[in-house]
Amino acid sequence: MIVSSRISPKARKGGPSSIEGRGLVAVAPIARDEVVAIKGGHIVSTAELGALPEPLRQSEVQIADGFHLAAVAEEEYEPVMLFLNHSCEPNVGFAGNIVLVAMRDVEPGEELATDYALFDDYDGAMECRCGTPSCRGVVDGRDWRRPELQRRYGPYFSWYLLRRFWSRPGGRTAE
């Protein structure tokens, strides 16, 4: 059995992206908090992920400390990939660890994108190519720690990251 992600019928994946490579685009209106995608894949440790070939590593979404969902075989790559690029002005966030929802109403033709700070926690950084007015220029694997992003995105962080900053003394409380 080949694992896969689920994409809303209101979105199409894999076409040209205005951000980078291939993307995910709304083909019908998507309401705020409506499910955009559900991430599929195999649960792998960070070490197992690092041992995968490069294209398969790109299919991952981190779901907990030291664990990710990813394709582990070449034939799973396309079905598992979301083609959800990074943007410093995202319109897609998380509702849990694998469910992705619209953070605002989205119009047909808009590229669906998320801020990688919403689910990534790793040592490293990448150049940002989103081109938005608030572009950070560099996306750091620890951007989830930035208080301004925590305030801006609120509950749209992956659950495992929300627990980190909502549970510490002086941190936010879930509403």
Side-chain angles (χ1 to χ4, degrees):
M1 178 172 104
I2 294 178
V3 299
S4 67
S5 296
R6 182 190 186 283
I7 304 292
S8 166
K10 295 181 178 183
R12 292 289 178 268
K13 72 175 191 172
S17 165
S18 62
I19 299 170
E20 183 174 352
R22 297 164 69 191
L24 184 65
V25 177
V27 295
I30 300 173
R32 180 183 176 147
D33 292 324
E34 187 174 339
V35 174
V36 170
I38 301 173
K39 178 64 176 168
H42 298 274
I43 299 170
V44 297
S45 70
T46 300
E48 291 167 324
L49 179 69
L52 292 172
E54 177 58 31
L56 298 180
R57 288 195 306 262
Q58 296 303 312
S59 74
E60 72 86 30
V61 166
Q62 189 169 356
I63 57 170
D65 291 325
F67 292 97
H68 313 259
L69 280 178
V72 297
E74 189 176 311
E75 65 272 12
E76 295 173 342
Y77 178 79
E78 286 288 328
V80 166
M81 278 297 289
L82 296 175
F83 296 104
L84 192 62
N85 283 313
H86 166 83
S87 175
C88 295
E89 295 180 14
N91 52 17
V92 174
F94 282 78
N97 283 334
I98 65 170
V99 177
L100 294 107
V101 298
M103 296 170 69
R104 60 169 173 78
D105 291 345
V106 178
E107 296 299 319
E110 281 188 67
E111 182 164 357
L112 297 160
T114 192
D115 189 327
Y116 290 173
L118 292 170
F119 67 94
D120 268 343
D121 180 34
Y122 70 97
D123 293 324
M126 66 175 229
E127 179 184 350
C128 183
R129 295 183 179 97
C130 75
T132 63
S134 62
C135 181
R136 298 191 297 274
V138 173
V139 179
D140 186 273
R142 305 278 191 244
D143 278 346
W144 67 269
R145 293 178 176 173
R146 297 171 66 140
E148 71 274 15
L149 295 182
Q150 292 175 10
R151 283 189 299 276
R152 184 185 318 157
Y153 301 147
Y156 290 108
F157 280 88
S158 186
W159 180 80
Y160 87 97
L161 290 176
L162 276 177
R163 290 187 63 224
R164 290 182 184 179
F165 57 85
W166 278 359
S167 64
R168 61 173 197 249
R172 295 181 51 147
T173 56
E175 299 178 38

